[in-house]
Amino acid sequence: MSFPFDYAISLIWLAWLIYWWVSSCGTKAAARVDSWGTLLVYRVPLVIGVLLMLAVAPGRWWPWLLQPFLPVEAALAWIGMVLLLLGLAFACWARVVLGRNWSATVQLKQDHELVTAGPYHWVRHPIYTGVLLGLLGTALVRDQWRCLLALAIIAAAFWYKLRHEEAWMREQFGTAYVDYMRRTKALIPGVL
């Protein structure tokens, strides 16, 4: 990976994080929040995955993590940048559509609404889909085994979190959510 790509990836993720933080203001008050134990089950792997993806020199103990997993081709870096931008744009669109119902942890909000429009029409968890697509793009640009490992860790954490969220959503919305689950895949339209 060349310097301009690395710099661009950092700026894109930083801009996305700033947007995510600013847009977290003004959400509805929580009616039910997750326990600390359950929160740690998915937050610790997320932090580990992010640190592994973004660390400058994680190969100190395991040098194979810094080895490329693909043949070196500039086209792959450009494809990765496109996936990163598309993924984060998709996540932002989902965040806008979700509106004040959004939370960083598993929560039910006061007057929580079941959102099935916009990107929620195609997948039940478009924010996770978008972030994972962005991370896949980052992994393609960075082209190191550590990035694929980080992607797998973060995907597993998201899968745990979404299953936990869905249990709460089924409790809250009953058959309306079960019907939504039947017609809409969790992360990849028509597949998963």
Side-chain angles (χ1 to χ4, degrees), residues 89-173:
F90 192 68
C92 289
W93 179 31
R95 176 75 180 265
V96 168
V97 171
L98 195 56
R100 297 185 63 218
N101 292 296
W102 179 84
S103 65
T105 61
V106 178
Q107 292 184 4
L108 287 174
K109 299 292 191 170
Q110 292 177 5
D111 301 318
H112 201 107
E113 302 164 78
L114 177 58
V115 177
T116 60
Y120 292 89
H121 175 75
W122 291 294
V123 289
R124 295 190 308 268
H125 302 276
I127 291 173
Y128 300 158
T129 297
V131 171
L132 289 171
L133 187 59
L135 290 169
L136 175 61
T138 300
L140 286 175
V141 173
R142 292 224 161 124
D143 189 24
Q144 294 179 344
W145 283 104
R146 69 180 170 111
C147 296
L148 287 184
L149 179 59
L151 180 60
I153 291 169
I154 293 169
F158 278 170
W159 188 256
Y160 174 84
K161 186 180 177 195
L162 78 82
R163 302 311 285 178
H164 183 52
E165 285 176 0
E166 290 188 334
W168 284 25
M169 296 298 275
R170 284 191 306 271
E171 287 176 24
Q172 179 75 13
F173 297 107

Side-chain angles (χ1 to χ4, degrees), residues 45-89:
L46 282 174
V47 169
I48 290 169
V50 167
L51 290 175
L52 189 59
M53 179 78 72
L54 301 178
V56 175
R60 181 175 170 191
W61 297 282
W62 301 291
W64 64 270
L65 286 173
L66 297 176
Q67 297 300 314
F69 62 88
L70 292 170
V72 177
E73 293 194 27
L76 291 175
W78 284 106
I79 291 168
M81 290 298 288
V82 168
L83 292 177
L84 169 61
L85 291 169
L86 288 174
L88 294 186

